[in-house]
Amino acid sequence: DDDGVDKLLIIPDTHAPYHDQRAWDLMLKVAEDFEPDTIVHLGDLADFYSVSSHSKDPERISNLETEMAAVRQLRQDLDDLEPERKVFIEGNHEFRLGRYIHDKAPELNGLVSVDGLLKLSENNWEHVPYRSHIRIGKLYLTHDTNQGGKYSTARALETFQHSVAIGHHHQIQYFVGGDATGQHQVGAQFGWLGD
């Protein structure tokens, strides 16, 4: 914008097709007015329920094709905002696919991927693997730091020792840390858009 600061839209866990459509639509409406330069999805855009190792509820959708159609529609909603940069940080739910392939269908390794199913690369998304992070300006972004509980954001701040935004825990949290030299860092978690 006019002051040279890029506008960054950070989107928390969504868990499509089990997302809250009203929350998603509200986020899109705000995003349209905000006109972000960069969009970062913090992971768990997809639920990957159909390939989860957990027991399945027969009342829930458990067809991978149906799940992916819903997820790709949400990805398209974000593409339609036309940001300059799009970053997808893989979450533990996307990681379910790799674990499923490793455990039950190793012959599909390299043929089926999160990137391919969500059509990330072909739509110019940067794909950050699970348990990795990206830095944009002074801010680090990751899905989680393998530390749970109600202090997960504070622990992420301690882990990075820099400002950080995380997903995963579905809580809204904001922590400010600092040191004796007056340096301050912020840790933030933005809840989730699941139903």
Side-chain angles (χ1 to χ4, degrees):
D1 61 13
D2 293 337
D3 61 5
V5 176
D6 285 348
K7 293 187 282 183
L8 176 64
L9 175 64
I10 301 171
I11 304 169
D13 300 38
T14 310
H15 293 269
Y18 310 110
H19 59 290
D20 182 325
Q21 190 64 49
R22 293 173 305 150
W24 182 260
D25 290 344
L26 178 60
M27 180 277 301
L28 286 175
K29 185 175 181 179
V30 170
E32 287 169 2
D33 289 339
F34 182 58
E35 298 179 345
D37 300 301
T38 300
I39 292 176
V40 176
H41 196 288
L42 290 174
D44 291 356
L45 173 62
D47 194 84
F48 278 102
Y49 185 75
S50 59
V51 296
S52 168
S53 60
H54 299 294
S55 296
K56 308 282 190 313
D57 179 346
E59 301 297 317
R60 291 187 97 185
I61 298 168
S62 67
N63 174 291
L64 187 59
E65 183 178 3
T66 302
E67 281 190 65
M68 291 304 99
V71 175
R72 285 191 296 266
Q73 178 56 58
L74 299 188
R75 195 224 62 242
Q76 185 62 54
D77 290 345
L78 299 175
D79 291 341
D80 291 345
L81 295 170
E82 299 180 350
E84 295 173 23
R85 184 178 183 193
K86 300 176 287 189
V87 178
F88 177 75
I89 300 172
E90 189 172 310
N92 61 301
H93 279 252
E94 284 85 18
F95 190 69
R96 287 175 170 179
L97 178 67
R99 206 170 48 232
Y100 179 87
I101 290 170
H102 182 269
D103 294 345
K104 299 189 182 212
E107 58 277 358
L108 297 178
N109 189 42
L111 294 174
V112 178
S113 68
V114 170
D115 186 21
L117 289 176
L118 274 58
K119 300 184 185 232
L120 297 168
S121 293
E122 70 183 73
N123 286 285
N124 300 311
W125 283 81
E126 296 172 46
H127 180 202
V128 178
Y130 181 51
R131 294 267 163 83
S132 297
H133 65 272
I134 191 166
R135 183 176 176 175
I136 297 176
K138 296 179 181 179
L139 179 65
Y140 286 84
L141 301 112
T142 190
H143 182 69
D144 69 79
T145 58
N146 201 26
Q147 301 174 32
K150 64 182 178 179
Y151 299 110
S152 56
T153 306
R155 290 184 184 120
L157 189 57
E158 289 172 358
T159 298
F160 278 90
Q161 295 292 303
H162 286 88
S163 293
V164 62
I166 67 169
H168 186 61
H169 300 285
H170 305 174
Q171 301 171 14
I172 296 175
Q173 294 181 344
Y174 184 82
F175 286 91
V176 177
D179 60 28
T181 68
Q183 296 296 314
H184 293 91
Q185 301 90 31
V186 173
Q189 191 170 166
F190 304 105
W192 74 314
L193 300 176
D195 186 359

